[in-house]
Amino acid sequence: MTQVLIDDNREPSPGEPLYALKGVTRSFTKGGVTVNALRGIDLEIARGETVSLEGPSGSGKTTLLQLLGALDTPTSGQIRFAGRSLEDESDSVLTDIRSREIGFVFQQFNLIPTLSAAENVAIAMVPRESSHVKRMARASDLLGQVGLAHRLGHLPSRLSGGEQQRVAIARALANSPEVIIADEPTGNLDSTNAGEFLALLDDLQQQFGVTIIIATHDEDVASHTGRRVRIRDGSIASDTTTAL
Ligand code: ADP
Ligand code: MG
């Protein structure tokens, strides 16, 4: 079950970006109607970058994140990620890539309501770490790093929205991923918690050197990232990098 599907020797060549997308499209057909959600995306993202994907509702942000997160494959085009061509990989390899290399933070946090904060983080390590004791120890460490050392045994229902999101971030970091992908991460937070979330991301970026990709329509969040990619109707409208 915990069979290793990835050949770890397939590392990207030096200088290769973490992501390289070429001509990526994604269309959905339902009841004879086709929606072209992405219409030819060319994008490179380097290791350690923090990037926001901005755009109005329906512009294609979630669709693009699903492709970057190996949750979906493109209709056409190429997605190179960490030295692999995702569009060619089987579902089982994509699953393995997700569990090893990608951490997700969803708007709804998606915590398991019957598990404590620590258990919610520890369960993400099940495919990679067979020792329950080691999983729980690492979960405690990670929750400490996101400022929740005093909440390890709390159920999600006993945590505030901001705290639940911190658990979700600790869970996303559980397997030391290359990249954290967050879809509208501040959509359910008030402005204080949103500010704290951004500060925490900076912190994690510095500590772990992890690449961070955030879809948002919140100007405050986007202006916080060094690189802003704006999406309109499934195409990249602009891509700007500012020294922060
Ligand atoms: P955003 O996250 O920017 O709001 P989405 O990526 O969710 O945008 O959606 C982009 C477009 O693709 C929308 O028109 C949406 O309705 C359509 N879409 C997304 N996912 C699906 C799907 N599974 N089936 C059909 N249409 C979809
Ligand atoms: Mg969306």
Side-chain angles (χ1 to χ4, degrees), residues 46-105:
R47 279 199 161 72
E49 267 194 297
T50 302
V51 184
S52 57
L53 303 177
E54 292 177 84
S57 182
S59 56
K61 302 182 298 294
T62 294
T63 304
L64 181 53
L65 284 188
Q66 301 241 327
L67 295 176
L68 296 172
L71 286 162
D72 186 23
T73 48
T75 304
S76 65
Q78 288 99 47
I79 304 182
R80 293 278 297 169
F81 169 70
R84 298 180 193 92
S85 296
L86 296 187
E87 74 281 2
D88 294 333
E89 301 290 9
S90 65
D91 284 347
S92 56
V93 170
L94 293 178
T95 300
D96 204 41
I97 290 172
R98 282 197 302 276
S99 83
R100 285 167 172 261
E101 321 248 25
I102 300 170
F104 295 93
V105 177

Side-chain angles (χ1 to χ4, degrees), residues 157-181:
S157 58
R158 304 283 313 280
L159 299 171
S160 70
E163 287 172 336
Q164 287 180 49
Q165 189 180 50
R166 282 164 184 266
V167 176
I169 292 168
R171 180 184 58 188
L173 288 165
N175 294 314
S176 307
E178 282 280 1
V179 57
I180 299 269
I181 289 178

